[in-house]
Amino acid sequence: MERYWQPEMETASRETLTKIQSERLVALVKRVYDNVPLYRERMDNAGVKPEDIHSIADLGKLPLTSKQDLRDTYPYGLFAVPLKDVVRLHASSGTTGKQIVVGYTKNDLETWSDICARQLTAAGAGKDDIIHVSYGYGLFTGGFGIHGGAERIGATVVPVSSGNTERQITIMHDFGCTFLCCTPSYAMYLAETIEKMGVPKEEIKLRGGIFGAEPWTKEMCDSLEQKLGIKAFDVYGLTEIMGPGVAFGCSEQNGLHVNEDHFIIECIDPETEQPVPDGQQGELVFTCLTKEAFPLVRFRTRDIGVLSHEACSCGRTFVKMSKPMGRTDDMLIIRGVNVFPSQIETVLLKLGYSPNYEIIVDRVNNTDTFDLRVEMTEDMFSDTVSGIAKYERTLTEALKSTLGIGVHVVLAPPHTLKRSEGKAKRVIDKRKETGKC
């Protein structure tokens, strides 16, 4: 039997959800117009006043917001409440410019805990579970969101944070942790290390995992389930919107339910900025309906996905978004061909490789070079030189068939590529580093 944290909302009719979203959108627009200079200026320039917004049908009248807007108003320019009402600050890493600073009121933190409680409950967690949180704590939002949700459902939380992998496994083993929460790449690293340490699989009590903060494929999900003996669930969130819990996976494991009472999701053509129909790829755009301190209106995530309003077997009525298929700003254009790392990961896992790889792109004599370093499994590495060459040829052909472009494959010995204890860095684009783009 499917469980819900807030069943009256999670199974509400489309008519009820539309009414709630419309009422909250009208209130939101008035609030940001009155309190956030950037929104007031943008709306004035577009000839839109708060009284022009009557329902979610009017959402398209409002200007889009981008990450650059958040950088331009650093640190507090988009806050809609006085700083004295903000009880917590989080921030992005700032690796591509000024970091993004976001704030939360007490009510915002309550909302965050509730939406993460929905995720944990959908995954089958409850008050008898021990939740091992290996998302990073600190300014990164990952650890705190799941932590709050776990406390909300009455579970026991182990706030390990990231790093010190062997100690993590000892804690997981000795404390009897039943749910693991971290990035999927780190979960894979933990699985490898458990095997390397010789810890019997049956002594690890994990039965579920909630993984997010980076794109991952169905094939990687299947691999994690097999290696850790768990059921793996996806969670989606962005620092700018709230953190983990904006959308969550259910027992169907086919897409993520967006918490529509708190967020409106749109899917648009990134070039024309016009909406695309269900089932068609587009850029995901979010509006924060209930967030008090830092409510974003029509925020462009740069994540590529697909929406579906079809009925879900879990009984939830929230719209579903696909796993992000990549990002418009992470997509590689190599010799005129669009390439997403997730496409490569799918091929690797289907052919039995581990998801440990590096994509290296450069430009030599005005031509793009495309190299892929991939770790072999122990079985592959023990093969003959001619056998390894055959693996390389097979993988090269499979990648060319999928991507439509040639790739220079280099097979590396097992455990030689650098592991990540947070978000995995898969792409080294030397064209950007040297200004060759």
Side-chain angles (χ1 to χ4, degrees):
M1 179 180 177
E2 188 74 34
R3 298 194 304 171
Y4 312 99
W5 177 246
Q6 295 168 318
E8 73 290 343
M9 192 58 67
E10 294 175 59
T11 61
S13 68
R14 179 53 45 187
E15 181 183 10
T16 297
L17 287 171
T18 299
K19 183 175 185 292
I20 289 170
Q21 287 187 322
S22 294
E23 290 173 350
R24 291 180 173 177
L25 178 64
V26 170
L28 167 71
V29 171
K30 185 178 189 311
R31 187 156 52 86
V32 298
Y33 187 87
D34 291 342
N35 295 290
V36 183
L38 177 72
Y39 286 125
R40 183 164 57 251
E41 178 185 349
R42 291 278 176 85
M43 288 175 63
D44 285 346
N45 289 343
V48 181
K49 297 294 183 184
E51 53 268 27
D52 297 325
I53 306 300
H54 305 286
S55 72
I56 59 171
D58 298 316
L59 185 63
K61 297 177 182 178
L62 298 168
L64 292 159
T65 309
S66 70
K67 183 168 282 191
Q68 190 58 47
D69 294 326
L70 279 63
R71 295 192 180 108
D72 291 344
T73 55
Y74 171 91
Y76 305 133
L78 286 183
F79 282 26
V81 299
L83 203 56
K84 65 181 178 62
D85 294 333
V86 174
V87 299
R88 189 192 296 171
L89 295 173
H90 280 290
S92 65
S93 61
T95 54
T96 56
K98 279 188 176 180
Q99 60 186 347
I100 304 305
V101 180
V102 299
Y104 300 78
T105 65
K106 186 174 184 299
N107 285 337
D108 291 336
L109 294 180
E110 294 293 320
T111 297
W112 196 9
S113 292
D114 270 333
I115 61 177
C116 286
R118 291 176 183 176
Q119 161 72 99
L120 286 157
T121 304
K127 63 182 180 180
D128 294 326
D129 283 293
I130 301 173
I131 314 294
H132 185 106
V133 182
S134 292
Y135 286 113
Y137 284 71
L139 287 178
F140 178 59
T141 57
F144 284 96
I146 296 294
H147 186 123
E151 288 186 342
R152 183 59 55 89
I153 67 172
T156 302
V157 189
V158 184
V160 187
S161 194
S162 56
N164 205 337
T165 301
E166 290 193 2
R167 178 172 175 266
Q168 295 243 7
I169 291 165
T170 299
I171 290 170
M172 192 185 302
H173 174 274
D174 294 352
F175 290 15
C177 299
T178 55
F179 273 81
L180 171 64
C181 304
C182 62
T183 62
S185 57
Y186 190 50
M188 188 63 73
Y189 185 31
L190 285 166
E192 289 179 353
T193 309
I194 288 170
E195 185 176 352
K196 184 179 177 183
M197 289 172 64
V199 179
K201 191 173 179 180
E202 62 272 13
E203 291 185 12
I204 300 293
K205 303 302 181 185
L206 292 178
R207 62 186 186 86
I210 296 175
F211 308 122
E214 63 188 22
W216 55 304
T217 60
K218 181 184 183 303
E219 289 75 16
M220 189 165 184
C221 176
D222 293 342
S223 181
L224 282 171
E225 290 189 331
Q226 188 274 324
K227 289 178 181 294
L228 290 171
I230 62 172
K231 191 167 185 179
F233 296 85
D234 209 342
V235 64
Y236 176 84
L238 302 91
T239 298
E240 299 91 335
I241 302 299
M242 178 67 86
V246 172
F248 61 94
C250 65
S251 57
E252 195 172 86
Q253 293 179 290
N254 180 27
L256 299 96
H257 291 284
V258 177
N259 284 298
E260 288 190 272
D261 50 332
H262 297 293
F263 310 101
I264 299 175
I265 186 171
E266 302 172 75
C267 193
I268 66 170
D269 182 309
E271 298 298 326
T272 67
E273 300 180 356
Q274 294 303 305
V276 300
D278 277 17
Q280 183 173 321
Q281 286 188 24
E283 181 182 349
L284 303 178
V285 174
F286 281 92
T287 295
C288 305
L289 291 172
T290 57
K291 199 170 180 189
E292 294 176 341
F294 193 76
L296 290 181
V297 177
R298 302 196 73 205
F299 178 71
R300 299 186 66 162
T301 66
R302 299 297 181 185
D303 285 328
I304 299 296
V306 171
L307 299 187
S308 172
H309 286 83
E310 291 182 4
C312 183
S313 62
C314 78
R316 290 176 179 84
T317 52
F318 291 154
V319 63
K320 288 170 78 171
M321 55 173 274
S322 65
K323 282 176 177 287
M325 301 165 177
R327 292 176 58 84
T328 59
D329 49 1
D330 281 349
M331 181 182 73
L332 293 163
I333 302 177
I334 305 172
R335 299 177 217 141
V337 177
N338 296 344
V339 175
F340 287 104
S342 59
Q343 294 173 292
I344 293 171
E345 185 174 293
T346 296
V347 173
L348 292 177
L349 289 167
K350 281 183 177 178
L351 292 180
Y353 291 86
S354 73
N356 296 306
Y357 61 94
E358 286 181 347
I359 301 166
I360 304 168
V361 186
D362 203 348
R363 183 163 292 162
V364 179
N365 296 326
N366 297 317
T367 301
D368 290 338
T369 61
F370 183 11
D371 294 345
L372 178 69
R373 295 188 66 216
V374 185
E375 279 188 359
M376 291 180 281
T377 63
E378 297 287 352
D379 290 343
M380 293 175 183
F381 188 55
S382 63
D383 210 328
T384 62
V385 172
S386 61
I388 291 173
K390 183 179 179 181
Y391 286 129
E392 283 185 345
R393 287 195 301 272
T394 301
L395 179 54
T396 300
E397 291 168 3
L399 288 167
K400 186 172 183 179
S401 175
T402 297
L403 303 175
I405 187 173
V407 187
H408 177 230
V409 172
V410 177
L411 295 184
H415 313 297
T416 54
L417 297 186
K418 184 178 179 181
R419 298 311 197 256
S420 171
E421 293 179 338
K423 292 187 180 183
K425 180 174 173 56
R426 304 292 195 196
V427 179
I428 301 170
D429 192 341
K430 294 182 178 179
R431 299 173 302 177
K432 293 181 178 179
E433 295 171 5
T434 58
K436 295 177 184 176
C437 287

